Amino acid sequence: MDTAETPVYYVLIACGLIILLFTLVFASSSIWLQRRLWRKIRLRMEATMNRMEKERARIAADLHDEATPLIYSVRRKIEDSVGADERSRQMLSLGREQLVVLEEQLQLISHSMVSLSLQRKGLLYSLKELVLEKRMLDNLDIELHCEELPQLSKSAATHIYRIVQEIIHNTIKHASASRLVISFDYEKPVLAIRSADNGKGFDMEAGSLPEQGLGIGNIINRAMFLQGTARVQAIKGCQWEILLKVG
């Protein structure tokens, strides 16, 4: 190398090293900022979902402690009443029947908001109970393939229960399906939840299901909260694949 070119060579090396250093610093800062932003988003999501669960619990408690006893009291008063004529007796009988239906509906709403079995007996028992209840009440054949589950935190169990509940609800309300299959597979550290129905499906790109948008967003957000992903295909029927990192 020519003596005159030596300083230029070292300058180029120094510039290259400086550029490399700045690139590394920028990349590290970007990663740090992304992680910090994700932590903030996750904390915000957690706070929002905790508020939702607390509100569900509050409404369920109000229905159980205030509305249900009031309905029962009114129903007993009607049952003890005697109509003055046939029309009055028919009206009282209709009122009793309607109050019974209303009481049953309130119990179903209360149960859907807060699953007591989830708190007392765990996720697997609650999922089987949910499927059995929906199978009996709605015209939908639901299969649940779930033999065992990993040890889960209370928060993770609640999110998974809500995910399955949302899938079932959307299938019943929107899919016009007669059959739904839900399966769980665990290979540490990933818990896979897959579902498939034989309904009419939808076209997400065409925006053909505005009513379901919120439910789908809830499923995706809960999966993200558990450091997972949720993908849906609905060209023919609706199929979910949800992969969660749970341990």
Coordinates of all heavy atoms in Angstrom, one line a residue, residues 89-175:
R89 N -107.5 -15.4 35.8 CA -106.7 -16.6 36.1 C -105.7 -16.9 34.9 O -104.6 -17.3 35.2 CB -107.6 -17.7 36.4 CG -108.3 -17.7 37.7 CD -109.0 -19.0 38.1 NE -110.2 -19.2 37.2 CZ -111.4 -18.7 37.5 NH1 -111.6 -18.0 38.6 NH2 -112.4 -18.9 36.7
Q90 N -106.2 -16.7 33.7 CA -105.3 -16.9 32.6 C -104.1 -15.9 32.6 O -103.0 -16.3 32.3 CB -106.1 -16.8 31.3 CG -107.1 -17.9 31.1 CD -107.9 -17.8 29.8 OE1 -107.8 -16.7 29.1 NE2 -108.7 -18.8 29.4
M91 N -104.4 -14.7 32.9 CA -103.3 -13.7 32.9 C -102.3 -14.0 34.0 O -101.1 -13.8 33.8 CB -104.0 -12.3 33.2 CG -104.8 -11.8 32.0 SD -103.8 -11.5 30.5 CE -102.8 -10.1 31.0
L92 N -102.8 -14.4 35.2 CA -101.9 -14.8 36.3 C -101.0 -16.0 35.9 O -99.8 -16.1 36.2 CB -102.7 -15.1 37.5 CG -103.3 -13.9 38.3 CD1 -104.2 -14.4 39.4 CD2 -102.2 -13.0 38.9
S93 N -101.7 -17.0 35.2 CA -100.9 -18.2 34.8 C -99.8 -17.8 33.8 O -98.7 -18.3 33.8 CB -101.9 -19.2 34.1 OG -101.2 -20.3 33.6
L94 N -100.2 -16.9 32.8 CA -99.2 -16.4 31.8 C -98.1 -15.6 32.5 O -96.9 -15.8 32.2 CB -99.9 -15.5 30.8 CG -99.0 -14.9 29.7 CD1 -98.3 -16.0 28.9 CD2 -99.8 -14.0 28.8
G95 N -98.4 -14.8 33.5 CA -97.4 -14.1 34.3 C -96.4 -15.0 35.0 O -95.2 -14.8 35.0
R96 N -97.0 -16.1 35.6 CA -96.1 -17.0 36.3 C -95.1 -17.7 35.3 O -93.9 -17.8 35.6 CB -96.9 -18.1 36.9 CG -97.6 -17.7 38.2 CD -98.1 -18.9 39.0 NE -99.1 -19.6 38.3 CZ -100.4 -19.4 38.4 NH1 -100.9 -18.4 39.2 NH2 -101.3 -20.1 37.7
E97 N -95.6 -18.1 34.1 CA -94.8 -18.7 33.1 C -93.7 -17.8 32.6 O -92.5 -18.2 32.5 CB -95.6 -19.2 32.0 CG -96.6 -20.3 32.3 CD -97.5 -20.7 31.2 OE1 -97.4 -20.0 30.1 OE2 -98.4 -21.6 31.3
Q98 N -94.0 -16.5 32.4 CA -93.1 -15.6 31.9 C -92.0 -15.3 32.9 O -90.8 -15.1 32.6 CB -93.8 -14.3 31.5 CG -94.6 -14.5 30.2 CD -95.4 -13.2 29.9 OE1 -95.7 -12.4 30.7 NE2 -95.8 -13.1 28.6
L99 N -92.4 -15.2 34.2 CA -91.4 -15.0 35.3 C -90.5 -16.2 35.4 O -89.3 -16.0 35.7 CB -92.1 -14.7 36.6 CG -92.7 -13.3 36.8 CD1 -93.6 -13.3 38.0 CD2 -91.6 -12.3 36.8
V100 N -91.0 -17.4 35.2 CA -90.1 -18.6 35.3 C -89.1 -18.5 34.2 O -87.9 -18.8 34.4 CB -90.9 -19.9 35.2 CG1 -90.0 -21.1 34.9 CG2 -91.8 -20.1 36.4
V101 N -89.5 -18.1 32.9 CA -88.6 -18.0 31.8 C -87.6 -16.9 32.1 O -86.4 -17.1 31.8 CB -89.4 -17.7 30.5 CG1 -88.4 -17.4 29.4 CG2 -90.3 -18.9 30.1
L102 N -88.0 -15.8 32.6 CA -87.1 -14.7 32.9 C -86.1 -15.1 33.9 O -84.9 -14.8 33.8 CB -87.9 -13.5 33.4 CG -87.1 -12.2 33.8 CD1 -86.3 -11.7 32.6 CD2 -88.0 -11.1 34.3
E103 N -86.5 -15.8 35.0 CA -85.6 -16.3 36.0 C -84.5 -17.2 35.4 O -83.3 -17.1 35.7 CB -86.4 -17.0 37.1 CG -85.5 -17.3 38.3 CD -86.3 -17.9 39.4 OE1 -87.5 -18.3 39.2 OE2 -85.8 -18.0 40.6
E104 N -85.0 -18.1 34.5 CA -84.0 -19.0 33.9 C -83.0 -18.3 33.0 O -81.8 -18.6 33.0 CB -84.8 -20.1 33.1 CG -85.6 -21.0 33.9 CD -86.4 -22.0 33.1 OE1 -86.6 -21.7 31.8 OE2 -87.0 -22.9 33.6
Q105 N -83.5 -17.3 32.3 CA -82.6 -16.5 31.4 C -81.6 -15.7 32.2 O -80.4 -15.6 31.8 CB -83.5 -15.5 30.5 CG -84.3 -16.2 29.5 CD -83.5 -16.9 28.5 OE1 -82.4 -16.4 28.0 NE2 -83.9 -18.1 28.0
L106 N -82.0 -15.1 33.3 CA -81.1 -14.4 34.2 C -80.0 -15.3 34.7 O -78.9 -15.0 34.9 CB -81.8 -13.7 35.3 CG -82.6 -12.5 34.9 CD1 -83.4 -11.9 36.1 CD2 -81.7 -11.4 34.3
Q107 N -80.4 -16.5 35.1 CA -79.4 -17.5 35.6 C -78.4 -17.9 34.5 O -77.2 -18.0 34.8 CB -80.2 -18.8 36.1 CG -80.9 -18.5 37.4 CD -81.8 -19.8 37.8 OE1 -81.9 -20.7 37.1 NE2 -82.3 -19.7 39.0
L108 N -78.9 -18.0 33.3 CA -78.0 -18.3 32.2 C -77.0 -17.2 31.9 O -75.8 -17.4 31.7 CB -78.8 -18.6 30.9 CG -79.5 -20.0 30.9 CD1 -80.4 -20.1 29.6 CD2 -78.6 -21.1 30.9
I109 N -77.6 -15.9 32.0 CA -76.7 -14.8 31.8 C -75.7 -14.7 32.8 O -74.5 -14.4 32.6 CB -77.6 -13.5 31.7 CG1 -78.4 -13.5 30.5 CG2 -76.7 -12.2 31.7 CD1 -79.5 -12.4 30.4
S110 N -76.1 -14.9 34.1 CA -75.2 -14.8 35.2 C -74.1 -15.8 35.1 O -72.9 -15.6 35.3 CB -76.0 -15.0 36.5 OG -75.1 -15.0 37.6
H111 N -74.5 -17.1 34.7 CA -73.5 -18.1 34.6 C -72.5 -17.9 33.4 O -71.3 -18.2 33.5 CB -74.2 -19.5 34.3 CG -73.3 -20.6 34.1 ND1 -72.6 -21.2 35.2 CD2 -72.9 -21.3 33.0 CE1 -71.8 -22.1 34.7 NE2 -72.0 -22.3 33.4
S112 N -73.0 -17.3 32.3 CA -72.1 -17.0 31.2 C -71.1 -15.9 31.5 O -70.0 -15.8 31.0 CB -72.9 -16.6 30.0 OG -73.5 -15.3 30.2
M113 N -71.5 -15.0 32.4 CA -70.6 -13.9 32.8 C -69.5 -14.4 33.7 O -68.3 -14.0 33.6 CB -71.4 -12.8 33.5 CG -72.2 -12.0 32.6 SD -73.0 -10.6 33.4 CE -73.6 -9.7 32.0
V114 N -69.8 -15.2 34.7 CA -68.8 -15.8 35.6 C -69.0 -17.3 35.8 O -70.1 -17.7 36.2 CB -68.9 -15.1 37.0 CG1 -67.9 -15.7 38.0 CG2 -68.6 -13.6 36.9
S115 N -68.0 -18.0 35.4 CA -68.1 -19.5 35.6 C -67.6 -19.8 37.0 O -66.4 -19.8 37.3 CB -67.3 -20.2 34.6 OG -67.3 -21.6 34.8
L116 N -68.6 -20.2 37.9 CA -68.2 -20.6 39.3 C -67.4 -21.9 39.2 O -66.5 -22.0 40.1 CB -69.4 -20.8 40.1 CG -70.3 -19.5 40.4 CD1 -71.5 -19.8 41.2 CD2 -69.4 -18.4 41.1
S117 N -67.6 -22.8 38.3 CA -66.9 -24.0 38.2 C -65.4 -23.8 37.8 O -64.5 -24.5 38.2 CB -67.5 -25.0 37.2 OG -67.5 -24.4 35.9
L118 N -65.2 -22.7 37.1 CA -63.8 -22.3 36.7 C -63.0 -22.0 38.0 O -61.9 -22.4 38.1 CB -63.8 -21.2 35.7 CG -62.5 -20.7 35.2 CD1 -61.7 -21.8 34.5 CD2 -62.6 -19.5 34.3
Q119 N -63.7 -21.3 38.9 CA -63.0 -20.9 40.1 C -62.8 -22.0 41.1 O -61.8 -22.1 41.8 CB -63.8 -19.7 40.8 CG -63.9 -18.5 39.9 CD -64.8 -17.5 40.5 OE1 -65.3 -17.6 41.7 NE2 -65.2 -16.4 39.7
R120 N -63.8 -23.0 41.1 CA -63.8 -24.0 42.1 C -63.2 -25.3 41.6 O -62.5 -26.0 42.3 CB -65.3 -24.3 42.5 CG -65.9 -23.1 43.2 CD -67.4 -23.4 43.4 NE -68.1 -22.2 44.0 CZ -69.4 -22.1 44.2 NH1 -70.2 -23.1 43.8 NH2 -69.9 -21.1 44.8
K121 N -63.4 -25.7 40.3 CA -63.0 -27.0 39.8 C -62.0 -27.0 38.7 O -61.6 -28.0 38.2 CB -64.3 -27.8 39.4 CG -65.2 -28.0 40.5 CD -66.4 -28.8 40.1 CE -67.4 -29.0 41.3 NZ -68.6 -29.9 40.9
G122 N -61.6 -25.8 38.2 CA -60.6 -25.7 37.2 C -61.1 -25.6 35.8 O -62.3 -25.8 35.5
L123 N -60.1 -25.4 34.9 CA -60.5 -25.1 33.5 C -61.1 -26.3 32.7 O -62.1 -26.2 32.0 CB -59.2 -24.6 32.7 CG -59.4 -24.3 31.2 CD1 -60.5 -23.2 31.0 CD2 -58.1 -23.9 30.6
L124 N -60.5 -27.5 32.9 CA -61.0 -28.6 32.1 C -62.4 -29.0 32.4 O -63.3 -29.2 31.5 CB -60.1 -29.8 32.3 CG -60.4 -31.1 31.6 CD1 -60.5 -30.8 30.1 CD2 -59.4 -32.2 31.9
Y125 N -62.7 -29.0 33.7 CA -64.1 -29.3 34.2 C -65.1 -28.2 33.6 O -66.2 -28.5 33.1 CB -64.2 -29.3 35.7 CG -65.6 -29.7 36.2 CD1 -65.9 -31.0 36.5 CD2 -66.5 -28.6 36.4 CE1 -67.2 -31.3 37.0 CE2 -67.8 -28.9 36.9 CZ -68.1 -30.3 37.2 OH -69.3 -30.5 37.7
S126 N -64.6 -26.9 33.7 CA -65.5 -25.8 33.2 C -65.8 -25.9 31.7 O -66.9 -25.6 31.3 CB -64.8 -24.5 33.6 OG -64.7 -24.4 35.0
L127 N -64.7 -26.3 31.0 CA -64.9 -26.4 29.5 C -65.9 -27.5 29.2 O -66.8 -27.3 28.3 CB -63.6 -26.7 28.8 CG -62.6 -25.5 28.8 CD1 -61.2 -26.0 28.2 CD2 -63.1 -24.3 28.0
K128 N -65.8 -28.6 29.9 CA -66.7 -29.8 29.6 C -68.1 -29.3 30.0 O -69.1 -29.7 29.3 CB -66.3 -31.0 30.4 CG -65.0 -31.6 29.9 CD -64.6 -32.8 30.7 CE -63.4 -33.5 30.1 NZ -62.9 -34.7 30.9
E129 N -68.3 -28.6 31.1 CA -69.6 -28.1 31.6 C -70.2 -27.1 30.6 O -71.4 -27.2 30.2 CB -69.4 -27.5 32.9 CG -70.8 -27.0 33.5 CD -70.6 -26.4 34.9 OE1 -69.9 -25.3 34.9 OE2 -71.1 -26.9 35.9
L130 N -69.3 -26.2 30.0 CA -69.8 -25.3 29.0 C -70.3 -26.0 27.8 O -71.3 -25.6 27.3 CB -68.6 -24.3 28.7 CG -68.9 -23.3 27.6 CD1 -70.0 -22.3 28.0 CD2 -67.6 -22.6 27.2
V131 N -69.5 -26.9 27.3 CA -69.9 -27.6 26.1 C -71.2 -28.4 26.3 O -72.1 -28.4 25.4 CB -68.8 -28.6 25.7 CG1 -69.2 -29.6 24.6 CG2 -67.6 -27.8 25.1
L132 N -71.3 -29.1 27.4 CA -72.5 -29.8 27.7 C -73.7 -28.9 27.8 O -74.8 -29.2 27.2 CB -72.4 -30.6 29.0 CG -73.6 -31.4 29.5 CD1 -73.9 -32.5 28.5 CD2 -73.3 -32.0 30.9
E133 N -73.6 -27.8 28.4 CA -74.7 -26.8 28.5 C -75.1 -26.3 27.2 O -76.3 -26.2 26.9 CB -74.2 -25.6 29.4 CG -75.2 -24.5 29.5 CD -74.7 -23.3 30.3 OE1 -74.3 -23.5 31.5 OE2 -74.5 -22.2 29.6
K134 N -74.1 -25.9 26.3 CA -74.5 -25.4 25.0 C -75.1 -26.4 24.1 O -75.9 -26.2 23.3 CB -73.2 -24.7 24.4 CG -72.7 -23.5 25.1 CD -73.7 -22.4 25.1 CE -73.2 -21.2 25.8 NZ -74.2 -20.1 25.8
R135 N -74.6 -27.7 24.3 CA -75.1 -28.8 23.5 C -76.6 -29.0 23.8 O -77.4 -29.3 22.9 CB -74.3 -30.0 23.7 CG -74.6 -31.2 22.8 CD -73.8 -32.4 23.2 NE -72.4 -32.2 23.1 CZ -71.5 -32.8 23.8 NH1 -71.8 -33.6 24.8 NH2 -70.2 -32.6 23.6
M136 N -76.9 -28.9 25.1 CA -78.3 -29.1 25.5 C -79.2 -28.0 25.1 O -80.4 -28.2 24.7 CB -78.3 -29.4 27.0 CG -77.7 -30.7 27.4 SD -77.6 -30.8 29.2 CE -79.3 -30.8 29.6
L137 N -78.8 -26.7 25.2 CA -79.6 -25.6 25.1 C -79.7 -25.1 23.6 O -80.7 -24.5 23.2 CB -79.1 -24.4 25.9 CG -79.2 -24.6 27.4 CD1 -78.6 -23.4 28.2 CD2 -80.6 -24.8 27.9
D138 N -78.7 -25.3 22.8 CA -78.7 -24.9 21.5 C -78.6 -26.0 20.5 O -78.0 -27.1 20.8 CB -77.5 -23.9 21.2 CG -77.5 -22.7 22.1 OD1 -78.3 -21.8 21.8 OD2 -76.8 -22.7 23.2
N139 N -79.1 -25.8 19.3 CA -79.1 -26.9 18.3 C -77.7 -27.0 17.6 O -77.6 -26.7 16.4 CB -80.2 -26.6 17.3 CG -80.4 -27.8 16.3 OD1 -80.1 -28.9 16.7 ND2 -80.9 -27.5 15.1
L140 N -76.7 -27.4 18.4 CA -75.4 -27.5 17.9 C -74.7 -28.7 18.5 O -74.6 -28.8 19.8 CB -74.6 -26.2 18.2 CG -73.1 -26.2 17.8 CD1 -73.1 -26.2 16.2 CD2 -72.4 -24.9 18.3
D141 N -74.1 -29.6 17.7 CA -73.4 -30.7 18.2 C -71.9 -30.3 18.4 O -71.2 -30.0 17.4 CB -73.5 -31.8 17.1 CG -72.6 -33.1 17.5 OD1 -72.4 -33.2 18.7 OD2 -72.2 -33.8 16.6
I142 N -71.5 -30.2 19.6 CA -70.2 -29.8 20.0 C -69.3 -30.9 20.5 O -69.8 -31.6 21.4 CB -70.2 -28.7 21.0 CG1 -71.2 -27.5 20.6 CG2 -68.8 -28.1 21.2 CD1 -71.3 -26.5 21.7
E143 N -68.2 -31.1 19.9 CA -67.2 -32.1 20.4 C -66.0 -31.4 21.0 O -65.5 -30.5 20.4 CB -66.7 -33.0 19.2 CG -67.8 -34.0 18.7 CD -67.2 -34.9 17.7 OE1 -65.9 -35.1 17.7 OE2 -67.9 -35.5 16.8
L144 N -65.6 -31.8 22.2 CA -64.5 -31.3 22.8 C -63.4 -32.4 23.0 O -63.7 -33.4 23.7 CB -64.9 -30.7 24.2 CG -63.7 -30.1 25.1 CD1 -63.0 -28.9 24.4 CD2 -64.2 -29.8 26.4
H145 N -62.3 -32.2 22.5 CA -61.2 -33.2 22.6 C -60.1 -32.5 23.5 O -59.3 -31.7 23.0 CB -60.6 -33.6 21.3 CG -61.6 -34.2 20.3 ND1 -62.1 -35.4 20.5 CD2 -62.2 -33.7 19.2 CE1 -63.0 -35.7 19.6 NE2 -63.1 -34.7 18.8
C146 N -60.1 -32.9 24.8 CA -59.2 -32.3 25.7 C -59.1 -33.2 26.9 O -59.9 -33.3 27.8 CB -59.7 -30.9 26.1 SG -58.7 -30.1 27.3
E147 N -58.0 -34.0 26.9 CA -57.8 -35.0 28.0 C -57.2 -34.4 29.2 O -57.6 -34.7 30.4 CB -57.0 -36.2 27.5 CG -57.6 -36.9 26.3 CD -59.0 -37.5 26.7 OE1 -59.2 -37.9 27.8 OE2 -59.9 -37.4 25.8
E148 N -56.2 -33.6 29.0 CA -55.5 -32.9 30.2 C -54.9 -31.6 29.7 O -54.7 -31.4 28.5 CB -54.4 -33.8 30.7 CG -53.3 -34.2 29.8 CD -52.3 -35.1 30.4 OE1 -52.1 -35.0 31.6 OE2 -51.6 -35.9 29.7
L149 N -54.7 -30.8 30.7 CA -54.1 -29.4 30.4 C -52.9 -29.2 31.3 O -52.8 -29.8 32.4 CB -55.2 -28.4 30.7 CG -56.4 -28.3 29.8 CD1 -57.4 -27.4 30.3 CD2 -55.9 -27.9 28.3
P150 N -52.0 -28.3 30.9 CA -50.9 -28.0 31.8 C -51.3 -27.2 33.0 O -52.4 -26.7 33.0 CB -49.9 -27.2 30.9 CG -50.9 -26.6 29.9 CD -51.9 -27.6 29.6
Q151 N -50.4 -27.0 33.9 CA -50.7 -26.2 35.1 C -50.8 -24.7 34.6 O -49.9 -24.2 33.9 CB -49.6 -26.3 36.1 CG -49.9 -25.7 37.5 CD -50.9 -26.5 38.2 OE1 -51.1 -27.7 38.0 NE2 -51.7 -25.8 39.1
L152 N -51.9 -24.1 34.9 CA -52.2 -22.7 34.4 C -52.4 -21.8 35.5 O -53.0 -22.1 36.6 CB -53.4 -22.7 33.5 CG -53.3 -23.6 32.2 CD1 -54.6 -23.7 31.5 CD2 -52.3 -22.9 31.2
S153 N -52.0 -20.5 35.3 CA -52.4 -19.5 36.3 C -53.9 -19.2 36.2 O -54.5 -19.5 35.2 CB -51.6 -18.2 36.0 OG -51.9 -17.7 34.7
K154 N -54.4 -18.6 37.2 CA -55.8 -18.2 37.2 C -56.1 -17.3 36.0 O -57.2 -17.4 35.3 CB -56.2 -17.5 38.5 CG -57.6 -17.1 38.6 CD -57.9 -16.4 39.9 CE -59.4 -16.0 40.0 NZ -59.7 -15.3 41.3
S155 N -55.2 -16.3 35.7 CA -55.4 -15.4 34.6 C -55.4 -16.2 33.3 O -56.3 -15.9 32.4 CB -54.3 -14.4 34.6 OG -54.4 -13.5 33.5
A156 N -54.5 -17.1 33.0 CA -54.4 -17.8 31.8 C -55.6 -18.7 31.6 O -56.2 -18.8 30.5 CB -53.1 -18.7 31.8
A157 N -56.1 -19.4 32.7 CA -57.3 -20.2 32.6 C -58.5 -19.4 32.2 O -59.3 -19.8 31.4 CB -57.5 -20.9 33.9
T158 N -58.6 -18.2 32.8 CA -59.8 -17.3 32.5 C -59.7 -16.9 31.0 O -60.8 -17.0 30.3 CB -59.7 -16.1 33.3 OG1 -59.8 -16.5 34.7 CG2 -60.9 -15.2 33.0
H159 N -58.6 -16.5 30.5 CA -58.5 -16.1 29.1 C -58.8 -17.3 28.1 O -59.5 -17.1 27.1 CB -57.0 -15.6 28.8 CG -56.8 -14.3 29.3 ND1 -57.5 -13.2 29.1 CD2 -55.8 -13.8 30.2 CE1 -57.0 -12.1 29.7 NE2 -56.0 -12.5 30.4
I160 N -58.3 -18.5 28.4 CA -58.6 -19.6 27.6 C -60.1 -20.0 27.6 O -60.7 -20.3 26.6 CB -57.7 -20.9 28.0 CG1 -56.3 -20.6 27.8 CG2 -58.2 -22.1 27.3 CD1 -55.3 -21.6 28.4
Y161 N -60.7 -19.9 28.8 CA -62.1 -20.2 28.9 C -62.9 -19.2 28.1 O -63.9 -19.6 27.4 CB -62.5 -20.1 30.4 CG -64.0 -20.4 30.6 CD1 -64.5 -21.7 30.7 CD2 -64.9 -19.3 30.7 CE1 -65.8 -21.9 30.9 CE2 -66.3 -19.5 30.9 CZ -66.7 -20.8 31.0 OH -68.1 -21.1 31.2
R162 N -62.5 -17.9 28.1 CA -63.2 -16.9 27.4 C -63.0 -17.1 25.9 O -64.0 -16.8 25.1 CB -62.8 -15.5 27.8 CG -63.1 -15.1 29.2 CD -64.5 -15.1 29.5 NE -64.8 -14.6 30.8 CZ -66.0 -14.8 31.5 NH1 -67.0 -15.5 30.8 NH2 -66.2 -14.4 32.7
I163 N -61.9 -17.5 25.5 CA -61.6 -17.8 24.0 C -62.6 -18.9 23.5 O -63.2 -18.7 22.5 CB -60.1 -18.2 23.8 CG1 -59.2 -17.0 23.9 CG2 -60.0 -18.9 22.4 CD1 -57.7 -17.3 23.9
V164 N -62.7 -20.0 24.3 CA -63.5 -21.1 23.8 C -65.0 -20.6 23.9 O -65.8 -20.9 23.0 CB -63.3 -22.3 24.7 CG1 -64.3 -23.4 24.4 CG2 -61.9 -22.8 24.6
Q165 N -65.4 -19.9 24.9 CA -66.7 -19.4 25.0 C -67.1 -18.5 23.8 O -68.2 -18.6 23.3 CB -66.8 -18.6 26.3 CG -68.2 -18.2 26.7 CD -68.3 -17.4 28.0 OE1 -67.5 -16.5 28.3 NE2 -69.2 -17.7 28.9
E166 N -66.1 -17.6 23.4 CA -66.4 -16.7 22.3 C -66.5 -17.5 21.0 O -67.4 -17.2 20.1 CB -65.2 -15.8 22.2 CG -65.5 -14.6 21.2 CD -66.5 -13.6 21.8 OE1 -66.3 -13.1 22.8 OE2 -67.5 -13.4 21.1
I167 N -65.7 -18.6 20.8 CA -65.8 -19.4 19.6 C -67.2 -20.1 19.5 O -67.8 -20.1 18.5 CB -64.7 -20.5 19.6 CG1 -63.3 -19.8 19.3 CG2 -64.9 -21.5 18.5 CD1 -62.1 -20.7 19.5
I168 N -67.6 -20.6 20.6 CA -68.9 -21.3 20.7 C -70.0 -20.3 20.4 O -70.9 -20.5 19.6 CB -69.1 -22.0 22.0 CG1 -68.1 -23.2 22.2 CG2 -70.5 -22.5 22.1 CD1 -68.2 -23.9 23.5
H169 N -69.9 -19.1 21.1 CA -71.0 -18.1 20.9 C -71.1 -17.6 19.4 O -72.2 -17.5 18.9 CB -70.6 -16.9 21.8 CG -71.5 -15.7 21.6 ND1 -72.8 -15.7 22.0 CD2 -71.3 -14.5 20.9 CE1 -73.4 -14.5 21.7 NE2 -72.5 -13.8 21.0
N170 N -69.9 -17.4 18.8 CA -69.9 -16.9 17.4 C -70.5 -18.0 16.5 O -71.2 -17.7 15.5 CB -68.5 -16.6 17.0 CG -68.1 -15.2 17.5 OD1 -68.9 -14.4 17.9 ND2 -66.8 -14.9 17.4
T171 N -70.2 -19.3 16.8 CA -70.7 -20.4 16.0 C -72.2 -20.5 16.1 O -72.9 -20.6 15.1 CB -70.0 -21.7 16.4 OG1 -68.6 -21.6 16.3 CG2 -70.5 -22.9 15.5
I172 N -72.7 -20.4 17.3 CA -74.2 -20.5 17.5 C -74.9 -19.3 16.9 O -75.9 -19.4 16.2 CB -74.5 -20.6 19.0 CG1 -74.0 -21.9 19.6 CG2 -76.0 -20.4 19.3 CD1 -74.1 -22.0 21.1
K173 N -74.3 -18.1 17.1 CA -75.0 -16.9 16.7 C -74.9 -16.6 15.2 O -75.9 -16.1 14.6 CB -74.5 -15.7 17.5 CG -75.3 -14.4 17.2 CD -74.8 -13.3 18.2 CE -75.6 -12.0 17.9 NZ -75.1 -10.9 18.8
H174 N -73.8 -16.9 14.6 CA -73.5 -16.4 13.2 C -73.3 -17.5 12.2 O -73.5 -17.2 11.0 CB -72.3 -15.5 13.2 CG -72.4 -14.3 14.1 ND1 -73.2 -13.2 13.8 CD2 -71.9 -14.0 15.3 CE1 -73.2 -12.3 14.8 NE2 -72.3 -12.8 15.7
A175 N -72.8 -18.6 12.5 CA -72.3 -19.6 11.5 C -73.3 -20.4 10.8 O -73.0 -21.0 9.8 CB -71.2 -20.5 12.2

